[in-house]
Amino acid sequence: MIKTRTAPVAKVIPTTLEKFNDVRIDDYFWLNDRENPEVIDYLNKENEYYQEMTAHTQDFQKELYEEMKSRIKEDDESVPYFYNDYYYITRFEIGKGYPIYARKKGSLSAKEEILFDCNELAEGQPYFKLGGMSISPDNTMAIFSTDVIGRRIYTIQVKNLETNEILSDKIENVTGSAVWANDNHTIFYSSQDEVTLRSDKILKHKLGTKQEEDVLVYFEKDDTYSVDIAKSKSRKYLAIECGSSITTEYRILNADTPDGKFKMFQKRKRGVEYSINHYKDSFYILTNKDDAENFKLMKTHEGATTSDNWVELIGHREDVLLEDIELFANYLVLEERTGGLNKIRIMSWDGTEEYYLPFGSETYTAYTSTNVDFETEILRYGYQSMTTPASIIDFNMRTQEKEVLKEQQVLGGQFDKNNYTEERVWATATDGTKVPISLVYSKELKKDGQNPLLLYAYGSYGHSMDAHFSSTRLSLLDRGFIYAIAHIRGGEDLGRQWYEDGKLLSKKNTFTDFIDCSKYVIEQNYTSPAHLYAEGGSAGGLLMGVIINEASELYNGIIAQVPFVDVMTTMLDDTIPLTTGEYDEWGNPNVKKYYNYMRSYSPYDNIKEQRYPHMYVSTGLHDSQVQYWEPAKWVAKLRIAKKEDTVLYLDTNMDAGHGGASGRFEALKELAKEFSFLLDLEKIKH
């Protein structure tokens, strides 16, 4: 590595933080103020340091960027879907970084009507995101929302699709989620608390009126819950969802009567989750009611929605997680997960047919796609594996014939899936639990312990990290890297219990699972500590923070994206966005047992004087989920603590939030930074 200057050293201003007689001294608490010019100056100095230290990789970054971009079909478009008399299409044009949303009436040969050209909307903006888009029932109007900062604070507007005029209606500082009532005149939307950004209100807006005239329909008082508004696939009902991470509650209203009163579907009961789907005169309910940990399917008449009326259709199974359903006139489709793999199960309502779609690989992802029509025999689903590009497939549930509508193109003529090996192996965790790992690598590779390996994981919120294809990943695989996903506890990869065993007072299983997966790939000669790299973002960044405190000797380098590393300070501050809603995931540190447990693993609070791996840490100044100061403070403290001459970079995007840069290809520039960091450490120059 080439060194040209001394790393920035953040000013030390000790702040004393005390809880339960435990005193923490935070030398960098002052970095929490984004309005302080000294804070911005420090972040800029870190950026300058990163740029200077990696100046020798700038040409390589550009090469990687162009290489990854060259595999992507620039003039690409989605598979059209038909809804309410129109075919809807999302497409991209050559040289443009944002999507164009369009539709065609009645036929794909009809004249194209452009709904939104995000390239025009994004012009002059350092960041742009089009949020919720909703077409009115009569097809003449479109609700759309935009965020130009990256903090997930949107402005809702309405476009007249017949005249292309943007109406005067403007609803500011909201979540961006909005739906139409069936009168084509009334809009329901969700709004958030100005400080915490918790989505806590549902309001009603009439076209042609001002935002201050909007009617508050529902306010959620409990600060551990958030709210949203949606419309049923049947288009008959509007539904307000109130949810915490372990409890849900719905209120419903006939979409034909927007001035009516929302009716309670079933009152919340702590620990009981349910979701609702409407068809004809019934609701179908996916729920964990009555200790159905892996969920079951129930049904009730739309006039009797309380849980005492629910009738079981698909019972609970210990070894099968029921994730979602799709309803059709003649078929019920279940999305299941067993043994860590997605399954799609098709059942006819008359009981004459029942089967699973066949999938050959063990490192794949399968999921239902856009299915907006009840009266069809066609199921649209997606499929991909670590060596197979993503496909969208139409499957005839009666004849069992399938048509591949689109397979992701990998341009350049270099890619052949037969040149790569994908496999799933099982590591044994500290407590004896078997943890799956999905891997992909070149068939030419030898397991001699000398291969660079990038191990990725998330492991929180029950979010399953399924094996998937990535054309950008080829830039690592073709340079000798192995890419691996550790399906650690904290996700729902192996069912709901897999999640329960990686949260609250069992959270440390997430960390030890990852460390044990790291040891496994070393023991099996895939790699060695001199060539092992780890990557995680957000809650996966917390994972990175823990593993380098606990097992830094296993890793040569770490990529931590928007890392949640200052667990104690964040979880003790209920004014920070998302904090109160996180108590069911991490625990409430105002309760001593949770405080002590979190304190024992919080990355920022457990930094010690030792050797730390090479590290690339990225964040966004406007991040509303993991505030920029967490990685900033973490890096500042690590600079003082680390005992070897390893590199440590903090790269702050001063124009972006949690999702990073906007635009289709800007994200590739961020990826090129990460890849060049890894390849530079491996002394791979091109």
Side-chain angles (χ1 to χ4, degrees):
M1 311 293 291
I2 298 172
K3 300 215 167 192
T4 58
R5 61 175 286 178
T6 305
V9 176
K11 186 167 58 176
V12 171
I13 306 176
T15 299
T16 301
L17 305 168
E18 184 174 356
K19 185 84 174 177
F20 299 122
N21 296 318
D22 176 49
V23 177
R24 294 182 299 127
I25 306 297
D26 188 347
D27 288 339
Y28 307 106
F29 190 85
W30 66 276
L31 287 170
N32 289 34
D33 181 9
R34 69 163 53 79
E35 302 301 320
N36 183 347
E38 286 189 78
V39 171
I40 301 301
D41 182 59
Y42 171 70
L43 296 176
N44 284 329
K45 282 179 178 170
E46 283 283 3
N47 281 348
E48 289 165 11
Y49 172 71
Y50 165 67
Q51 290 296 332
E52 283 198 34
M53 289 287 286
T54 58
H56 64 289
T57 71
Q58 288 298 314
D59 289 342
F60 193 20
Q61 286 183 39
K62 290 173 187 172
E63 179 186 328
L64 287 166
Y65 168 78
E66 293 296 340
E67 177 181 296
M68 291 187 284
K69 185 180 176 184
S70 72
R71 296 193 194 102
I72 297 171
K73 190 174 189 296
E74 288 197 53
D75 54 340
D76 201 5
E77 67 176 46
S78 65
V79 175
Y81 68 89
F82 190 72
Y83 178 75
N84 196 20
D85 297 331
Y86 282 85
Y87 283 95
Y88 286 88
I89 304 158
T90 304
R91 62 180 179 81
F92 293 88
E93 292 183 350
I94 292 174
K96 295 183 178 179
Y98 291 91
I100 296 168
Y101 295 92
R103 68 179 183 177
K104 296 181 177 183
K105 187 171 185 179
S107 166
L108 287 172
S109 61
K111 182 183 177 184
E112 180 185 72
E113 176 186 342
I114 293 179
L115 303 173
F116 298 101
D117 184 340
C118 293
N119 300 286
E120 293 179 2
L121 293 172
E123 203 166 321
Q125 303 289 353
Y127 177 92
F128 177 81
K129 176 76 172 177
L130 185 73
M133 182 175 67
S134 178
I135 308 295
S136 63
D138 66 2
N139 289 315
T140 64
M141 302 277 187
I143 303 167
F144 69 104
S145 60
T146 54
D147 172 13
V148 294
I149 295 175
R151 202 160 165 77
R152 301 188 182 183
I153 300 173
Y154 286 85
T155 296
I156 292 173
Q157 293 176 273
V158 180
K159 181 179 181 180
N160 184 319
L161 299 177
E162 295 180 320
T163 65
N164 282 326
E165 171 197 9
I166 304 296
L167 304 190
S168 60
D169 304 66
K170 188 175 268 194
I171 306 169
E172 298 180 300
N173 300 317
V174 292
T175 68
S177 176
V179 294
W180 290 97
N182 286 345
D183 65 353
N184 304 294
H185 186 71
T186 307
I187 296 167
F188 290 86
Y189 64 93
S190 57
S191 182
Q192 70 270 67
D193 181 276
E194 289 183 7
V195 176
T196 67
L197 301 186
R198 177 176 71 94
S199 176
D200 60 358
K201 294 178 283 290
I202 302 296
L203 294 102
K204 179 170 62 177
H205 175 84
K206 300 285 188 180
L207 288 186
T209 64
K210 295 181 179 178
Q211 183 174 356
E212 52 266 32
E213 299 173 54
D214 291 352
V215 176
L216 179 66
V217 173
Y218 179 74
F219 173 68
E220 177 54 59
K221 296 177 184 175
D222 189 329
D223 64 8
T224 65
Y225 283 73
S226 58
V227 300
D228 199 7
I229 182 85
K231 198 172 192 178
S232 65
K233 178 177 169 179
S234 67
R235 311 180 207 174
K236 183 174 179 179
Y237 286 99
L238 300 166
I240 296 174
E241 179 187 2
C242 311
S244 71
S245 62
I246 61 169
T247 310
T248 44
E249 176 183 83
Y250 283 86
R251 289 166 172 79
I252 58 172
L253 175 68
N254 190 309
D256 289 336
T257 58
D259 294 328
K261 187 176 180 182
F262 279 82
K263 169 194 151 191
M264 178 68 72
F265 190 94
Q266 165 58 42
K267 281 188 179 178
R268 69 188 68 176
K269 180 181 177 184
R270 181 167 172 78
V272 176
E273 298 173 62
Y274 69 93
S275 59
I276 58 177
N277 289 266
H278 179 259
Y279 180 53
K280 290 187 175 176
D281 62 356
S282 299
F283 280 98
Y284 295 79
I285 305 116
L286 204 59
T287 181
N288 65 351
K289 178 179 175 289
D290 302 324
D291 299 317
E293 183 178 63
N294 277 333
F295 288 77
K296 59 184 177 181
L297 182 63
M298 307 187 80
K299 179 182 178 181
T300 194
H301 189 274
E302 62 186 357
T305 63
T306 54
S307 62
D308 54 320
N309 296 294
W310 299 357
V311 177
E312 185 175 291
L313 291 181
I314 305 289
H316 175 258
R317 291 157 291 172
E318 293 291 339
D319 60 341
V320 180
L321 175 66
L322 182 53
E323 292 190 312
D324 207 353
I325 64 168
E326 283 282 3
L327 299 171
F328 297 91
N330 297 315
Y331 295 92
L332 168 64
V333 177
L334 307 177
E335 290 190 78
E336 302 177 345
R337 183 181 294 273
T338 180
L341 297 173
N342 310 115
K343 303 288 176 69
I344 296 179
R345 180 183 177 193
I346 296 171
M347 306 169 67
S348 61
W349 288 116
D350 63 11
T352 59
E353 293 177 274
E354 180 178 343
Y355 56 91
Y356 285 90
L357 292 181
F359 303 121
S361 171
E362 274 204 328
T363 56
Y364 71 88
T365 303
Y367 49 90
T368 61
S369 182
T370 307
N371 294 281
V372 295
D373 186 9
F374 289 110
E375 306 293 328
T376 180
E377 298 175 336
I378 305 298
L379 168 71
R380 181 165 292 181
Y381 73 94
Y383 175 86
Q384 59 184 296
S385 79
M386 293 187 86
T387 61
T388 306
S391 295
I392 297 295
I393 299 161
D394 271 1
F395 179 80
N396 188 305
M397 293 178 280
R398 179 177 54 82
T399 66
Q400 299 189 30
E401 294 173 332
K402 73 176 186 179
E403 179 186 1
V404 178
L405 301 176
K406 179 180 180 180
E407 181 174 282
Q408 175 190 347
Q409 286 184 258
V410 182
L411 302 184
Q414 305 287 323
F415 174 70
D416 179 350
K417 66 189 232 176
N418 297 311
N419 292 336
Y420 305 92
T421 297
E422 57 183 348
E423 63 176 322
R424 187 166 66 148
V425 297
W426 297 78
T428 302
T430 306
D431 62 2
T433 301
K434 297 289 187 182
V435 182
I437 308 171
S438 298
L439 304 103
V440 62
Y441 49 87
S442 168
K443 277 192 173 163
E444 304 293 315
L445 183 136
K446 294 177 182 175
K447 294 178 189 173
D448 58 6
Q450 299 306 303
N451 305 298
L453 188 152
L454 178 59
L455 185 63
Y456 177 85
Y458 185 71
S460 290
Y461 302 105
H463 181 70
S464 299
M465 192 53 60
D466 292 317
H468 59 282
F469 182 80
S470 166
S471 68
T472 56
R473 189 191 298 148
L474 298 173
S475 290
L476 290 181
L477 302 185
D478 291 346
R479 289 176 171 86
F481 263 78
I482 300 170
Y483 182 85
I485 301 170
H487 303 281
I488 55 181
R489 282 174 283 187
E492 271 185 355
D493 305 62
L494 271 75
R496 181 67 175 207
Q497 192 58 47
W498 202 249
Y499 171 38
E500 299 294 337
D501 289 345
K503 65 188 286 198
L504 297 173
L505 298 175
S506 298
K507 188 63 202 170
K508 288 184 182 178
N509 285 334
T510 300
F511 315 133
T512 55
D513 280 2
F514 191 89
I515 291 169
D516 289 328
C517 287
S518 301
K519 291 176 179 176
Y520 177 86
V521 295
I522 292 170
E523 289 163 2
Q524 297 299 311
N525 274 334
Y526 286 100
T527 190
S528 61
H531 301 286
L532 179 57
Y533 303 90
E535 176 187 11
S538 196
L542 161 67
L543 171 65
M544 296 298 103
V546 175
I547 65 164
I548 61 169
N549 285 339
E550 299 299 320
S552 65
E553 72 282 357
L554 295 178
Y555 308 98
N556 189 42
I558 300 286
I559 295 173
Q561 304 142 331
V562 292
F564 171 44
V565 283
D566 188 13
V567 179
M568 302 311 300
T569 307
T570 291
M571 293 303 296
L572 284 165
D573 185 351
D574 60 12
T575 69
I576 292 176
L578 306 181
T579 291
T580 54
E582 303 281 283
Y583 290 161
D584 289 329
E585 178 72 23
W586 311 101
N588 183 348
N590 296 297
V591 177
K592 190 172 184 181
K593 68 176 180 178
Y594 291 114
Y595 178 93
N596 290 340
Y597 189 76
M598 294 161 73
R599 178 74 167 82
S600 71
Y601 69 74
S602 173
Y604 184 65
D605 297 288
N606 287 281
I607 290 172
K608 47 198 167 192
E609 292 189 0
Q610 64 170 15
R611 178 262 180 195
Y612 279 99
H614 302 285
M615 295 179 63
Y616 172 78
V617 182
S618 59
T619 187
L621 181 64
H622 302 294
D623 196 327
S624 61
Q625 286 187 258
V626 179
Q627 309 293 326
Y628 73 88
W629 58 73
E630 293 200 38
K633 290 164 57 176
W634 185 48
V635 166
K637 193 172 180 180
L638 281 168
R639 284 213 190 285
I640 306 303
K642 71 186 186 78
K643 285 302 170 194
E644 286 190 18
D645 195 22
T646 52
V647 300
L648 174 58
Y649 302 138
L650 175 65
D651 184 15
T652 304
N653 187 326
M654 305 301 278
D655 297 317
H658 197 66
S662 65
R664 190 182 185 199
F665 301 116
E666 287 303 307
L668 294 182
K669 293 177 181 176
E670 296 185 344
L671 205 52
K673 290 179 179 182
E674 295 175 1
F675 285 6
S676 68
F677 168 75
L678 298 172
L679 294 164
D680 194 37
L681 290 171
E682 284 293 315
K683 298 181 172 54
I684 298 171
K685 302 299 182 186
H686 56 81

